Amino acid sequence: MLRKALLLIFCCLSILAPATDISREANAQFKISNVFNVKVPKGAQTVRIWFAVPQQDSHSVISNLSVNAAFPVRYETDSAGNLVGYVEVRSPQQEQITIKETFDLDRSEIRSGVNAAATRPLTENERQALARYLQPSRHVIVNDKIRKLASSIVGKEPNPVLAARKLYDWTYKNVNYWVKDPDHLKASPVGSTEYCLRTKTGNCTDFHSLFSSLAIASGIPTRIVYGSLLKPTLNGFEVDGSYHCWVEFFAPRIGWVPLDASLANIYAEPIKLDEKNKKLVELTTSTGYHGADRSKVDYYFGNLDDRRVVWSVGRDLILQPPQEDGPVNSLPKMYVEVDGKQSADWTRLFTYKER
């Protein structure tokens, strides 16, 4: 029954997803496992757990989804339409709650072609229909400074593909991924436009928060996608593969177009590798780092490799049933509340093996 219900939900989500001209190319298959462990503090009355589940779309086919837990699991959609797992434990007696999620993924490469001649500026009706993707969020800000900067980059370019490419080029050229120099560069803990613009460094969420702010200020609908890269170097290893995010912007007559400005920065110029950054740089990529590669810089505007899984879309999420401690910044792994307050006392072990 669970699998039938999830399949029905996935099908509905796929039908509701905006249509695109994006074609499928390369394909990869994986067996994936998430093991969530939540520590229960002494005296806790209620532990509530919302955990990310794989999102099915036109490029991701999810099968054999199974969740093992000592407590009932239910599935709801959050304020951005993401399917989310939920567990609630009242008067917990154990010191730890464990949830194991396994599934198979068939993932297709995305090649959009990003043909600027195929699109046009948004109409007013389109702007109204996509209004939620033109709104800032807690850490994706739009203020006078952002508007001025966006205007200086885009100018009067009305074509959303050409304008987005200008913003993409500016972002990867003016911000440095922290893994290049971990002794001197750092990421923000939340994915922040303000931090990224001020320090000119950060992680993928910092990069894409800044890009999103500039795009929204330019009138381009934008959303951030949270997932994980399925790196060949971690294939079959039982370690936390962490998460990665990228951006999709909307172009009329094309649909949602992906980009990854943070990986473009990795490949834009040669990185001097040493003992401190070599492994970090390698693990930041989805296909390995072999030096600067202009073709990858161009590729990651409009295209995405097939070694990715999607966990959620959007920021400032309201979960179901609603959480008590304010909007959730993003959901690439899980969110936990103990007696109405957010708890960070949990771990996620994410492993995968290519089939």
Side-chain angles (χ1 to χ4, degrees):
M1 291 297 292
L2 169 60
R3 290 180 184 176
K4 289 182 179 179
L6 290 176
L7 180 59
L8 178 60
I9 293 172
F10 284 144
C11 288
C12 291
L13 290 175
S14 296
I15 291 170
L16 293 172
T20 72
D21 292 336
I22 293 172
S23 60
R24 300 179 184 182
E25 297 292 341
N27 181 273
Q29 298 82 37
F30 303 88
K31 295 188 74 67
I32 297 177
S33 169
N34 269 329
V35 179
F36 304 100
N37 287 308
V38 179
K39 290 187 178 180
V40 180
K42 291 183 178 180
Q45 298 301 305
T46 303
V47 178
R48 304 172 74 203
I49 303 167
W50 295 261
F51 61 94
V53 301
Q55 306 298 310
Q56 180 154 296
D57 54 35
S58 58
H59 311 290
S60 305
V61 177
I62 309 300
S63 60
N64 300 320
L65 176 63
S66 175
V67 177
N68 293 322
F71 304 93
V73 177
R74 57 191 266 199
Y75 298 87
E76 303 283 354
T77 54
D78 64 20
S79 56
N82 302 301
L83 189 66
V84 180
Y86 177 71
V87 172
E88 182 173 320
V89 182
R90 297 185 180 182
S91 302
Q93 301 302 309
Q94 56 278 89
E95 295 181 352
Q96 180 173 280
I97 298 170
T98 298
I99 302 168
K100 184 175 182 180
E101 171 184 76
T102 59
F103 60 93
D104 293 338
L105 168 68
D106 190 322
R107 174 74 181 183
S108 299
E109 178 189 19
I110 301 175
R111 285 186 175 271
S112 72
V114 283
N115 181 7
T119 190
R120 54 163 172 73
L122 270 72
T123 65
E124 185 55 35
N125 285 341
E126 288 169 336
R127 195 175 303 280
Q128 292 178 14
L130 296 165
R132 65 172 171 157
Y133 302 110
L134 288 164
Q135 297 300 314
S137 59
R138 182 172 31 165
H139 299 297
V140 179
I141 62 171
V142 177
N143 54 24
D144 290 342
K145 186 175 182 179
I146 290 293
R147 293 187 188 94
K148 183 177 180 181
L149 176 58
S151 178
S152 71
I153 298 168
V154 172
K156 296 183 179 181
E157 177 56 64
N159 186 296
V161 168
L162 297 179
R165 180 62 197 234
K166 288 185 176 185
L167 297 174
Y168 172 85
D169 289 343
W170 186 92
T171 302
Y172 83 74
K173 290 177 181 178
N174 286 276
V175 181
N176 267 316
Y177 214 127
W178 74 273
V179 297
K180 292 181 175 180
D181 186 3
D183 282 345
H184 301 97
L185 304 178
K186 293 183 179 179
S188 79
V190 294
S192 165
T193 294
E194 185 280 328
Y195 174 89
C196 192
L197 184 58
R198 173 170 50 85
T199 65
K200 297 299 192 297
T201 187
N203 62 7
C204 56
T205 318
D206 296 310
F207 267 83
H208 295 134
S209 294
L210 177 55
F211 175 90
S212 296
S213 290
L214 294 170
I216 292 169
S218 303
I220 302 173
T222 306
R223 61 190 186 188
I224 299 179
V225 181
Y226 286 85
S228 291
L229 299 181
L230 305 170
K231 310 155 190 173
T233 48
L234 293 184
N235 184 43
F237 288 86
E238 292 190 353
V239 296
D240 187 346
S242 193
Y243 80 93
H244 184 72
C245 76
W246 53 96
V247 163
E248 294 177 342
F249 70 91
F250 187 84
R253 296 178 180 162
I254 297 177
W256 289 102
V257 179
L259 61 84
D260 195 328
S262 58
L263 288 192
N265 175 257
I266 291 291
Y267 292 109
E269 296 179 348
I271 300 173
K272 185 178 180 181
L273 299 178
D274 55 35
E275 292 183 358
K276 294 182 179 179
N277 70 4
K278 183 176 181 179
K279 185 175 181 180
L280 290 171
V281 170
E282 176 70 20
L283 294 180
T284 297
T285 71
S286 55
T287 56
Y289 179 76
H290 307 288
D293 188 338
R294 182 67 201 185
S295 68
K296 286 188 178 293
V297 174
D298 291 334
Y299 174 85
Y300 282 121
F301 181 79
N303 310 292
L304 290 179
D305 49 78
D306 53 349
R307 307 189 68 89
R308 298 173 185 238
V309 59
V310 176
W311 302 120
S312 64
V313 178
R315 308 284 293 268
D316 289 359
L317 303 173
I318 302 299
L319 307 173
Q320 290 296 329
Q323 69 274 23
E324 296 183 46
D325 204 12
V328 175
N329 182 34
S330 60
L331 193 68
K333 298 181 181 181
M334 67 189 307
Y335 174 78
V336 178
E337 286 186 352
V338 177
D339 297 334
K341 297 295 183 182
Q342 181 178 354
S343 171
D345 203 0
W346 53 264
T347 60
R348 190 280 303 259
L349 185 65
F350 165 62
T351 60
Y352 51 89
K353 188 171 184 179
E354 191 162 2
R355 293 189 284 118

